[in-house]
Amino acid sequence: MFQTFKDWFWLERFWLPPAIKWSDLEDHDGLVFVKPSHLYMTIPYAFGLLVIRHVFEKLVATPLAKAFGIKEEVRKIIPNPVLEKFFKYSTRQPSQDDIYGLAKKCNLTERQVERWFRSRRNQERPCRMKKFQEACWRFAFYLMITVAGIAFLYDKPWAYDLGEVWNGYPRQPLLPSQYWYYILEMSFYWSLLFSLGSDVKRKDFLAHVIHHLAAISLMSFSWCANYIRSGTLVMIVHDVADIWLESAKMFSYAGWKQTCNSLFLIFSAIFFVSRLIIFPFWILYCTLVIPMIYLEPFFSYIFLNLQLMVLQVLHLYWGYLIVKMLKRCIFMKNIQDVRSDDEDEDEEEEEEEKEETTKDKEKDCLKNGLTADRNLIPNGQHGR
């Protein structure tokens, strides 16, 4: 049964233009062609990147973070088995009635219970050091792969003449630079997928999973159908903006708000040019219109362009989010990534402390027969 499915899956009419056979893409005369089996190497390379990442974060990212003044935070908390059990198995945000009952059970004041839960929630928040390490690693990889991509493509005719992308397709031999560019990029996304469980959790966790799987799927498909030339153009267009985003995050975690805002403005400009101008009017034109000069429509051509058009819809959505962040940057002088949880957990903690202080003041005022604005409460109007 598996062999039947395999034979059906690899039918030439799904992957190749009419009249082209897989035998036409066999290695010959020193020329090497893409093979699906090449993609097996992305898994061990992904684990290799995880090892490199671990070493990089320890030897490069951590000293750099300390140079920026970021310290490893140790959030200690007084152990309390009753409160810990309630935190793990009931809720992280107890109601006022829960707090009252827990305070009685633990022989603590309600304020002490509220503080314990706030400290316990803060204990699970990722520290700035970890966030900086992750952003620094992604920055380093995107910088490396972008420089490598430019070096691989600068002398290739299809980078300047889009007609060359399809000239001779699919009998286009695989170059060593193309092999390593593709394999490293795919391995990186596999490594991000494998590390999602240990990386900083954000609200868009599911979106990250879908994004990484979609990126791997698109690159794998383009590899198997030998859309290598157009694939390298798609990758360079995407990687060039990500450098600036990760660098902006690094300076945000370091507290360099002005530098962060400047880098984010650069990222926004490059994003809009690369993904909302170059991608639809250059890349999509290359994959959608130009092939019809050389080929008849076939299944993988249609499937490839459907994936790229879905990607363009995502670009429009991300562009909308970036515009929202730009408004925040311009009018509020502060950037917050609306795709994720608040990047500054200290701000959340301060807000909780302010709320608690306000509650305490109100309680004290009530005890003294005053309203919150220091006016006397008429007789008989006290709360319970």
Side-chain angles (χ1 to χ4, degrees):
M1 184 176 177
F2 175 76
Q3 186 62 40
T4 303
F5 172 78
K6 181 180 177 182
D7 294 339
W8 171 84
F9 183 80
W10 292 110
L11 285 174
E12 283 96 346
R13 61 189 174 90
F14 290 154
W15 299 90
L16 303 173
I20 301 295
K21 305 293 183 183
W22 287 116
S23 57
D24 296 327
L25 301 181
E26 294 291 335
D27 299 345
H28 61 85
D29 301 328
L31 299 178
V32 178
F33 293 85
V34 295
K35 297 176 183 61
S37 59
H38 290 156
L39 300 181
Y40 294 148
M41 292 305 300
T42 59
I43 302 301
Y45 285 152
F47 286 107
L49 284 175
L50 289 175
V51 174
I52 294 172
R53 172 181 172 174
H54 178 75
V55 175
F56 176 88
E57 289 182 352
K58 292 294 183 185
L59 301 183
V60 179
T62 299
L64 186 60
K66 291 179 179 178
F68 277 116
I70 301 174
K71 299 178 181 178
E72 294 192 52
E73 302 169 14
V74 180
R75 294 166 177 160
K76 295 182 179 180
I77 188 171
I78 300 173
N80 189 307
V82 175
L83 299 182
E84 183 69 25
K85 183 178 179 180
F86 189 90
F87 181 88
K88 285 184 176 180
Y89 301 109
S90 295
T91 178
R92 296 157 52 99
Q93 300 279 356
S95 65
Q96 196 60 42
D97 290 338
D98 292 330
I99 292 173
Y100 178 79
L102 290 168
K104 291 291 185 183
K105 188 180 292 186
C106 299
N107 197 25
L108 299 171
T109 65
E110 292 181 33
R111 184 176 179 181
Q112 287 175 322
V113 173
E114 288 174 347
R115 281 181 171 176
W116 189 94
F117 274 94
R118 188 183 69 241
S119 300
R120 185 66 179 83
R121 288 193 297 270
N122 291 338
Q123 194 177 48
E124 293 202 342
R125 288 193 181 113
C127 63
R128 287 176 180 269
M129 176 67 76
K130 182 170 177 58
K131 292 178 178 179
F132 184 92
Q133 289 172 336
E134 291 182 9
C136 189
W137 164 248
R138 291 191 297 266
F139 167 79
F141 181 85
Y142 284 131
L143 179 62
M144 181 274 294
I145 204 69
T146 300
V147 171
I150 294 171
F152 293 159
L153 290 170
Y154 87 97
D155 61 344
K156 303 300 185 294
W158 56 85
Y160 309 97
D161 180 4
L162 296 180
E164 287 297 318
V165 170
W166 298 98
N167 187 19
Y169 177 84
R171 299 183 182 90
Q172 297 170 338
L174 176 66
L175 303 176
S177 60
Q178 293 173 322
Y179 173 86
W180 286 111
Y181 191 24
Y182 248 85
I183 296 299
L184 284 176
E185 188 94 21
M186 289 185 64
S187 300
F188 177 69
Y189 280 106
W190 275 119
S191 71
L192 291 181
L193 197 62
F194 295 154
S195 64
L196 277 175
S198 59
D199 287 345
V200 173
K201 298 292 188 302
R202 295 184 171 89
K203 286 187 294 187
D204 58 352
F205 174 84
L206 182 60
H208 273 81
V209 174
I210 295 172
H211 172 268
H212 298 338
L213 287 174
I216 293 168
S217 173
L218 181 56
M219 285 187 283
S220 299
F221 174 80
S222 64
W223 179 274
C224 294
N226 203 17
Y227 295 124
I228 302 299
R229 294 183 180 182
S230 58
T232 53
L233 298 179
V234 171
M235 289 192 295
I236 194 68
V237 165
H238 283 76
D239 291 338
V240 71
D242 291 331
I243 304 169
W244 302 96
L245 177 61
E246 298 303 333
S247 61
K249 287 183 179 181
M250 289 167 58
F251 282 100
S252 175
Y253 302 143
W256 294 32
K257 298 300 182 183
Q258 194 62 40
T259 305
C260 168
N261 291 351
S262 300
L263 290 169
F264 185 79
L265 290 174
I266 296 173
F267 159 74
S268 302
I270 295 176
F271 179 93
F272 289 127
V273 171
S274 62
R275 302 196 191 183
L276 299 183
I277 297 177
I278 293 178
F279 186 83
F281 298 107
W282 186 48
I283 302 296
L284 278 179
Y285 177 79
C286 171
T287 61
L288 194 60
V289 178
I290 295 180
M292 295 298 93
I293 301 173
Y294 300 90
L295 305 163
E296 294 292 328
F298 56 103
F299 178 81
S300 68
Y301 157 81
I302 297 171
F303 188 67
L304 172 70
N305 282 287
L306 283 175
Q307 292 184 86
L308 294 178
M309 283 188 278
V310 169
L311 187 57
Q312 181 57 29
V313 172
L314 290 175
H315 292 164
L316 294 172
Y317 172 68
W318 291 328
Y320 164 73
L321 296 181
I322 289 171
V323 169
K324 288 180 66 176
M325 286 187 277
L326 284 174
K327 286 183 179 179
R328 186 185 297 273
C329 175
I330 295 170
F331 297 110
M332 300 178 65
K333 305 299 182 183
N334 181 41
I335 288 178
Q336 175 183 318
D337 192 341
V338 295
R339 301 170 305 165
S340 308
D341 286 332
D342 291 347
E343 297 292 355
D344 193 346
E345 70 277 358
D346 293 333
E347 289 181 4
E348 292 182 359
E349 188 172 346
E350 287 173 6
E351 288 177 4
E352 290 180 348
E353 287 177 351
K354 286 178 182 177
E355 289 178 4
E356 183 181 313
T357 303
T358 302
K359 289 179 182 177
D360 292 338
K361 285 181 179 178
E362 290 176 354
K363 290 177 182 177
D364 292 339
C365 288
L366 288 170
K367 288 177 182 178
N368 295 321
L370 301 172
T371 61
D373 56 0
R374 313 299 295 176
N375 293 322
L376 285 172
I377 299 176
N379 288 335
Q381 298 295 319
H382 290 276
R384 67 179 178 92

